[in-house]
Structure formats: C-alpha cells, structure tokens
Amino acid sequence: MRIGYVAKFDSGGNEDENAIYFALEQLGHKVERLREQRGQAAHKLECDFLLFHHWFDPESLSQVRVPRAFWNFDLVTYPDPTLKERNERRVHWMETVTPLVDVGFCTDGDWVAQDTTGKLVWLTQGADERMVGRGQPKYPNNPPVLFTGTHRGGGQGREAFVRHMLDRWHDEFMQVKGVHGRDLADFIASSQVCVAPDHPATDCYWSNRVFLTAGFGGCLLHPACETLKSQYKQGEEIFFYSTQQDFDEKLESLLKSPSLCQTIGDQAYQRTMKEHLYRHRCEKLVQVMKERCGL
C-alpha cells in the first residue's frame, strides 16, 4: 500500500515520525514523506491514503482526494485550571480537523469515548523498534530513582509530583529532560526504578514514556490506569500506585529489591517486543483504514 505521510521529520526528541515511517516500511508499505511546512503539496502525493499528526492546514487538507487520517498523540483535555489555554487549543484543532478526515486515531481514549462523529479510534503510541533494548550503565553514580520527563507545561499536578520527589526522596531522585534514544536507555540502565507522575494520566490515557521505558528494559512505577493494566501485568512487568502514600511505600520496597527491578524490566521489555512496538500500532492503523475506507 502507498501511504502519504505529512509530519515534522527529523525534528529531534523521540523522533516518533521516523519510527512510524520505519515501521510502515517494515510492514511492506511504500511511504511518501512530506514535511509539514510543505503540506500545501499534500494533494499531489500519489498514495492510497494520507496520514498526519498535528498538521494544521485545513485548506490544504481539504484538497486531498484520497482517504485522510490523523494520529493525534495529545491528551486533548484535562481538568487542571493551569492547562485551560492548552486544552482550548487542542479542542479547537480536533473540532476543526475531524470533519475533514475519514478516520482520526487518538492516544487520548477519553476523547474517543465522548466522540459523536464515529470517526475516532483509540490508538496508543509505541516503542521505537530501531532503539529498543537495555542500555549500558554508563552513569553508576546516578541516583536510583529516575523521572524521564519535564514538569514544565504539564500542569500543577506534575509540578507537585516533582516537588514531592525532591522533598521526600532528596538525593535518591533524579530528573532528566531532553534526553532521548540510546542515551536515554543508558540513563535508565544506570538507575533502579523509573517513576511516572500521576498527572496528567487517566484510565484511558498515559504518556508514551511507558512504552519507551519498557522498551529500554526499565522498571516503571506508574499511576494505576485501568486500560494499561491489561497491557502490562502488575507486579510482573510494571508496578502501579493509587495514592501518594502507596507510591512512597512501593518505591521504598523496590529500592530494597534491585534484583526484582531487573526482572521487572526484563519482562517489560519482552512484553513490549511482542505487543507494543510502533510496528504493532501501524498494523492496526492500516487495517482500520482498509476496513473503513475500502482500500
């Protein structure tokens, strides 16, 4: 199948677009890439369907004559007053773009659940198959507890989480920002437990750090998300917490059990390789497009 793909390629970070391009080609599809800044030429792509992420050019999109699909990674709305403006921008994008596509794939399952158009499909992100695998413990002096993300722009809940980690765990805690790929794998391998904040997260949405951490063989302590519980097994491939007290107790226990953390990370990696790569997500994406658009 020929797929037109409009995205921000080679923009740094986790390079999800290149990971998806790689996955689609591994599945045997021919992908014609187009950078967002040249999106006005999207209608010229010779393809069976067009895929994009957060591209916002309704006029150019409306000129595309093949089936159109977006895959939006954002949590669209979250009940945090400090995220009000961000929520409004994301809702506006959704309300403007959804009428212009045939299918909208969203990692925000809560937004899909309230959809009335019938166009939206829940599809989480995944691990980058080009990068997976346990890293090297290059930083033996790193603290044992690691948060691999930023707290700025994540709302007051995430900022409160980082404050708690600094106040309660002091020198045992480390936050790394702007580190990706195999460099991030090495940081994870140099720590014992990776932790994820409880905001923003819901039963149907969580950060892609889950799949990234598991794909690097990390032991992750994550807020309890009902749907995520069906993807990784509690106590075998991941640990879930429900309250701050539960978090502190479980983290304290894990820090006393380095061999258990190693085992959890190994099993999380195996699960990711079997079910949670971008290749697995792209298989579903293409199948949905075939079924809904008669391709």
Side-chain angles (χ1 to χ4, degrees), residues 122-169:
W122 185 52
L123 186 66
T124 63
Q125 293 178 251
D128 185 346
E129 193 167 1
R130 305 166 304 161
M131 301 288 180
V132 290
R134 195 176 277 279
Q136 298 297 318
K138 294 181 178 179
Y139 311 103
N141 295 323
N142 278 2
V145 183
L146 183 66
F147 170 41
T148 62
T150 181
H151 60 282
R152 298 191 182 280
Q156 59 188 10
R158 190 181 297 181
E159 292 180 358
F161 173 83
V162 172
R163 285 197 302 272
H164 172 75
M165 294 304 301
L166 293 170
D167 292 342
R168 169 65 174 80
W169 295 97

Side-chain angles (χ1 to χ4, degrees), residues 218-237:
C219 174
L220 180 62
L221 179 57
H222 193 275
C225 301
E226 285 303 315
T227 311
L228 183 55
K229 290 179 181 179
S230 66
Q231 299 192 3
Y232 290 96
K233 294 181 180 179
Q234 157 71 16
E236 296 181 25
E237 299 161 339

Side-chain angles (χ1 to χ4, degrees), residues 9-10 44 57 70 83 121 166 188 292 295:
F9 298 103
D10 304 312
K44 298 179 181 180
D57 186 349
F70 66 69
L83 298 176
V121 176
L166 293 170
I188 291 175
R292 296 203 176 191
L295 300 175

